[in-house]
Amino acid sequence: MTADAQTKLVLVVACALIDADGRVLLAQRPEGKSLAGLWEFPGGKVEPGERPEQTLIRELAEELGVVVEEPCLAPLTFASHRYETFHLLMPLYVCRRWTGIVTGREGQATRWVRPAALRDHPMPPADEPLIAHLVALL
Ligand code: C5P
């Protein structure tokens, strides 16, 4: 899967927050968004001038009330998926240390999921291949 000259490239960054029991945080895309109802690793679009780590720090605070320090973000892998109208490139980071209480600030449901149960949560097609990398790590 490669982006061609006609395809818009969208850069999104995602993070697997991992708790002390080795569970992974998933967030459900809310009604009104594309792919509503599917579960995803939290994150968001990289804005112009941002580094992916800065995006994650901003998005995790805005969406979930989670405070992350940059050295706690470790890159794991990335997704590359061609949707109908754009090509998505999405690095996945893992983070085991943060502060704050996870709260779906945009009305989204959140769930701590054991690695073996990740595949029971329907995900956007770009996210699905990331699960194997995460399970191998955990
Ligand atoms: O989250 P947002 O809607 O800004 O993301 C832009 C697009 O990237 C979504 O419409 C979706 O197709 C894709 N996406 C994805 N997996 C994610 C986040 C976004 O496939 N975890």
Side-chain angles (χ1 to χ4, degrees), residues 2-10 81-88:
T2 53
D4 61 43
Q6 274 76 49
T7 309
K8 184 177 154 195
L9 188 65
V10 171
H81 186 82
R82 179 136 186 195
Y83 285 102
E84 215 168 293
T85 54
F86 63 94
H87 191 110
L88 180 77

Side-chain angles (χ1 to χ4, degrees), residues 10-15 27 29-30 33-35 38-47 59 63 79 81 83 85-90 92 123-128 130:
V10 171
L11 183 58
V12 168
V13 60
C15 184
R29 293 179 66 86
K33 263 195 159 183
S34 61
L35 307 174
L38 298 185
W39 294 87
E40 67 182 9
F41 302 106
K45 266 191 198 131
V46 179
E47 300 293 345
E59 291 279 359
E63 289 182 0
H81 186 82
Y83 285 102
T85 54
F86 63 94
H87 191 110
L88 180 77
L89 206 55
M90 187 170 71
L92 177 71
M123 287 187 154
D127 298 52
E128 273 171 17
L130 301 175

Side-chain angles (χ1 to χ4, degrees), residues 98-122:
W98 69 91
T99 56
I101 294 166
V102 174
T103 314
R105 289 193 162 181
E106 296 171 350
Q108 74 277 39
T110 59
R111 194 176 283 178
W112 288 101
V113 180
R114 299 207 172 279
L118 285 170
R119 291 185 201 283
D120 299 338
H121 293 73

Side-chain angles (χ1 to χ4, degrees), residues 28 31 53-55 65 76 78 96 106 127 137:
Q28 194 172 31
E31 287 306 318
E53 293 87 352
Q54 293 172 314
T55 306
L76 178 64
F78 69 92
R96 295 176 186 267
E106 296 171 350
D127 298 52
L137 177 78

